[in-house]
Amino acid sequence: MNKTFEKLTPWLDKAYALNCALLLFEWDDATEAPEESGELTSKAVEILSNEYYEAIINDDVKKLLKQLSKETDLNLKEKAIVKDLQKQYDSMEPIPQKEYQAYRGLIARASSIWAKAKNANDYSQFAPTLEKIIEYQKKFVDYRLKAGKLKVKPYDLLLDDFEEGFNMEKLDKFFDTLKKEIVPLLQMVTSKNDKINKDYNYRSYPIELQKEFNHGLAEHVGFDFKRGVIKESAHPFTTNLHNKDVRITTHYDEHNLESAIFSTIHESGHAMYELQISDDLTATPAGTGVSMGMHEGQSRLFENNFGRSHEFWMPLFQKLKDTYPDALKDMDLDHFILGINKSAPSLIRTESDELTYSLHIMVRYEVEKLIFENKISIDELPEAWNKKYEEYLGVTPENDAEGVLQDIHWATGSFGYFPSYALGNAIAAQIHAHLKTVMPLDKHLKDGDFQPINTYLKEHIHCFGKTKTTNEILKDMMGEEFNPQYYIDYLKNKYNTLYKDL
Ligand code: ZN
């Protein structure tokens, strides 16, 4: 180990431990914590966040980072950790500690305020909190831009936090292409939609049975219950401490069969990424997925490219029918495959199909652009949101809960995050196309054999953590950087084939 790097290790360890504690509070808040715990628990979270801040932002770390920038014998892992820490340092140091602390406290309270407002279907209950969060975000971006003498646009800086190099210029092009290709395809699909009966999805599926089936499903795709758990939360997510403790949540609705199935497969995809990080990197700042886009690339690959295919369900469909013999007695596999792939414009992003998903992301991306270009006020957000839904999806939210309040992201301060979902869809399609060239993918899915698939993903993507960038991973694996054409080809091919005979 490099000697200077060695001096950095105690700071890294401390920051890591504090981050674990913060993650566990977050996990607990969403899964087990009693409803009224938020206000007082947020005090503990505030103190820990402050400790975390001090473990990273201090003169010793600053000096060490400066020295390390001149060292020439760092190995790949050390380089990745230094790069990541430098990025964190640069984004946090310009922010006055008191403001950061107050912001973290606000964020700790915001999720429960958002949840209450959403339940009450009342944007005005959340608007003052959202306004404060946005004020902080704008101020923080401003501090960072000034400190780094950076000549980038505020929203570009936020986008870069989640997906390096994908700025508005690139994303505008990406979304324009998608819009051009998806909208006509959607028109064709929508015109034939009454041919697909999806009533089966809304019959009665007892939650205890769903739990059992979905746990089996997670296991089927490789989720290891000795190193992971599944709990329930309103909004499914994955929490990762290290490669021996990766936790996912799902959400059960007695009258919706698919909701839990596809969120379980989705989060299992995220989990596989984190479970397969190499032992050498785990529990260090480089020991996690390289970017949000690449992470979504894994979850979407599992959920859609694998999980909605005919081959995937061949070894599972009988088990599904046996679990719910009454509700599914008139169903056959072909009907089920059409049903789980039915595409129809809807209001809720998390329930949306593959074809319309990226249109939901476009709405959020464009609203966030307006926010950070100071072109919209807090009070105008619900209307702007609704108008864009009309424009892109042809549907209009009837209330705030299915409109501007539907996602938790803004309550957690995650601005600039949404585009990584759409990038993830495109990355998934690219990986999927590649897998088909290096292995008999359909045969493995038909056999229910995920081992060769997971091993390949581990060796070519997962194990590297942050030691390679998104584009380096893709290039080294398949000789080509990010290319959204795979996604467009995939959607065209899939929907034209599925809807051909209808
Ligand atoms: Zn996800």
Side-chain angles (χ1 to χ4, degrees), residues 287-405:
T288 186
V290 63
S291 69
M292 292 322 302
M294 187 51 101
H295 236 300
E296 278 301 304
Q298 311 311 301
S299 55
R300 292 268 147 191
L301 176 68
F302 277 65
E303 176 192 352
N304 293 331
N305 306 79
F306 298 160
R308 292 182 200 272
S309 71
H310 199 273
E311 293 78 14
F312 178 86
W313 282 98
M314 284 169 73
L316 291 167
F317 189 65
Q318 193 54 48
K319 194 178 161 200
L320 185 72
K321 283 189 77 154
D322 292 345
T323 309
Y324 314 107
D326 291 336
L328 294 178
K329 71 172 175 288
D330 55 346
M331 287 293 288
D332 60 44
L333 180 56
D334 288 341
H335 183 181
F336 181 67
I337 297 301
L338 272 177
I340 61 176
N341 285 294
K342 180 173 179 174
S343 171
S346 68
L347 292 164
I348 308 297
R349 173 185 63 88
T350 53
E351 306 278 327
S352 68
D353 57 83
E354 267 183 287
L355 191 55
T356 55
Y357 192 93
S358 294
L359 300 173
H360 290 260
I361 298 305
M362 268 188 288
V363 170
R364 289 149 177 82
Y365 169 66
E366 291 185 4
V367 171
E368 287 189 354
K369 271 203 321 197
L370 292 174
I371 293 174
F372 288 93
E373 285 169 351
N374 298 317
K375 288 181 181 159
I376 193 165
S377 72
I378 296 294
D379 296 336
E380 290 164 339
L381 288 175
E383 206 193 321
W385 181 286
N386 294 353
K387 274 199 175 143
K388 290 200 182 290
Y389 261 84
E390 261 169 56
E391 190 187 338
Y392 294 144
L393 288 129
V395 290
T396 313
E398 281 186 7
N399 54 54
D400 297 336
E402 54 183 35
V404 72
L405 282 178

Side-chain angles (χ1 to χ4, degrees), residues 51 130 143 180 182 192 196 230 258 318 349 370 377 387 404 440 472 474 480 492:
E51 288 283 313
L130 180 61
Y143 289 139
K180 245 179 252 144
I182 291 176
K192 293 180 169 183
I196 303 176
I230 303 184
E258 290 173 16
Q318 193 54 48
R349 173 185 63 88
L370 292 174
S377 72
K387 274 199 175 143
V404 72
E472 280 167 357
L474 293 171
E480 192 178 354
K492 276 187 176 169

